[in-house]
């Protein structure tokens, strides 16, 4: 693409559009990263961005979870070059959705892909920790699908503090191709599951699923983010937050 100062030559100004999802988008935007005050004067624009994305991508529309992808993108692009933040955010959003759309549990195709990805996750977990073969029990099939659909569509943005989302995404996007980026996200989920291996090995399936769900956010902030950074960018140091400080 050439040096950044030439990128404006490739941009085309975007006109905001409308869709049938406006009411849902508005509700979701006002409850996304609610404690991040930086977004407060930008929420109306984020509604317009998501509404425009839904109007352009009529075959997809708006699916809950997209809001968590749009917010970090908007902050990064607005702080970098506000004049073109709308265009850059929508372009990046299009690319992210191309990578993550199949993980949204919508329709038979989505369900089939989630089952396939669940098999990949279980195989990677067992390769690292053979005692986790219990994840191949049919009792865990729905659990694996639920875990994937709860964090992969948003690339963990719905369960992390914003600072950690940006750190984690830096490591994903540094991978190069979309396939490699997605694999890093999958590896992050594998890391989370393996970290909690004793839950699955020693507890009944229902209890294990409940405990895992309650520990997910705390563990992501206090361990998995730090581990991912350690593997992919050892020179980066995670800044302590309220979550990690008390973990």
């Amino acid at each position: 693409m050439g040096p950044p100062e030439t990128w404006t030559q490739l941009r085309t100004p975007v006109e905001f559009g409308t869709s049938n999802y406006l009411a849902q988008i508005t509700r979701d935007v006002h409850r996304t990263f609610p404690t991040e005050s930086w977004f407060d004067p930008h929420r109306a624009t984020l509604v317009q961005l998501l509404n425009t994305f839904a109007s352009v991508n009529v075959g997809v529309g708006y699916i809950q979870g997209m809001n968590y992808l749009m917010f970090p993108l908007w902050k990064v692009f607005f702080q970098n070059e506000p004049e073109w933040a709308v265009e850059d955010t929508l372009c990046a959003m299009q690319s992210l959705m191309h990578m993550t759309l199949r993980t949204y549990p919508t329709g038979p195709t989505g369900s089939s892909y989630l089952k396939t990805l669940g098999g990949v996750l279980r195989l990677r977990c067992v390769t690292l920790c053979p005692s986790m073969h219990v994840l191949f029990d049919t009792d865990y099939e729905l659990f694996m699908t639920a875990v994937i659909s709860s964090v992969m569509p948003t690339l963990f943005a719905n369960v992390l503090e914003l600072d950690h989302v940006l750190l984690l995404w830096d490591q994903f996007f540094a991978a190069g191709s979309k396939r490699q980026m997605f694999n890093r996200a999958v590896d992050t989920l594998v890391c989370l599951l393996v970290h909690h291996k004793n839950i699955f090995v020693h507890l009944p399936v229902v209890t294990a699923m409940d405990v895992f769900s309650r520990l997910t956010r705390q563990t992501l902030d206090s361990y998995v983010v730090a581990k991912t950074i350690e593997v992919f960018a050892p020179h980066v140091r995670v800044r302590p937050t309220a979550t990690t400080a008390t973990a």
Side-chain angles (χ1 to χ4, degrees):
M1 292 182 64
E5 60 268 19
T6 68
W7 289 359
T8 54
Q9 300 170 16
L10 305 176
R11 296 181 174 112
T12 301
V14 170
E15 292 185 7
F16 288 130
T18 59
S19 75
N20 296 327
Y21 300 93
L22 177 59
Q24 184 63 60
I25 288 171
T26 301
R27 285 193 294 270
D28 288 347
V29 162
H30 287 286
R31 57 193 179 196
T32 305
F33 293 112
T35 61
E36 292 287 342
S37 59
W38 185 91
F39 289 115
D40 291 344
H42 299 270
R43 291 186 188 274
T45 301
L46 285 157
V47 169
Q48 292 178 300
L49 286 167
L50 285 163
N51 207 24
T52 300
F53 184 87
S55 71
V56 172
N57 296 276
V58 292
V60 177
Y62 171 75
I63 311 171
Q64 286 182 304
M66 291 180 178
N67 44 314
Y68 280 101
L69 295 178
M70 189 73 81
F71 270 61
L73 292 175
W74 173 252
K75 182 173 184 180
V76 169
F77 287 122
F78 186 86
Q79 290 182 326
N80 182 58
E81 193 168 0
E83 179 185 0
W84 289 100
V86 168
E87 289 74 16
D88 291 345
T89 299
L90 287 172
C91 180
M93 183 68 177
Q94 195 78 25
S95 184
L96 278 189
M97 285 305 300
H98 184 266
M99 182 172 66
T100 62
L101 181 59
R102 290 184 298 175
T103 64
Y104 285 80
T106 54
T109 303
S111 299
S112 175
Y113 180 73
L114 289 175
K115 289 181 180 179
T116 300
L117 185 55
V120 172
L121 278 168
R122 284 179 286 194
L123 184 59
R124 291 190 185 184
C125 286
V126 171
T127 300
L128 292 172
C129 180
S131 63
M132 293 186 72
H133 63 84
V134 295
L135 292 180
F136 280 97
D137 293 349
T138 55
D139 290 341
Y140 275 104
E141 186 171 310
L142 289 177
F143 166 74
M144 294 299 294
T145 299
V147 169
I148 294 168
S149 61
S150 68
V151 295
M152 291 301 290
T154 67
L155 297 177
F156 300 90
N158 61 317
V159 291
L160 288 175
E161 295 183 9
L162 181 62
D163 285 351
H164 286 169
V165 172
L166 297 176
L167 279 171
L168 197 60
W169 284 14
D170 278 347
Q171 313 320 314
F172 294 166
F173 301 156
S177 71
K178 290 179 183 176
R179 179 184 294 274
Q180 291 171 321
M181 293 178 197
F182 189 76
N183 280 337
R184 285 195 177 186
V186 171
D187 286 341
T188 298
L189 185 50
V190 169
C191 184
L192 174 65
L193 290 164
V194 171
H195 180 63
H196 285 306
K197 60 182 180 296
N198 288 333
I199 292 176
F200 306 110
V201 173
H202 299 296
L203 295 179
V205 59
V206 175
T207 305
M209 290 188 291
D210 177 60
V211 173
F212 178 82
S213 297
R214 288 189 284 109
L215 289 176
T216 294
R217 175 160 187 155
Q218 177 185 347
T219 306
L220 273 166
D221 268 325
S222 63
Y223 174 76
V224 175
V225 172
K227 188 67 175 178
T228 301
I229 300 301
E230 175 187 328
V231 171
F232 296 123
H235 60 285
V236 175
R237 293 292 177 266
V238 178
R239 181 174 63 82
T241 65
T243 306
T244 56
T246 58

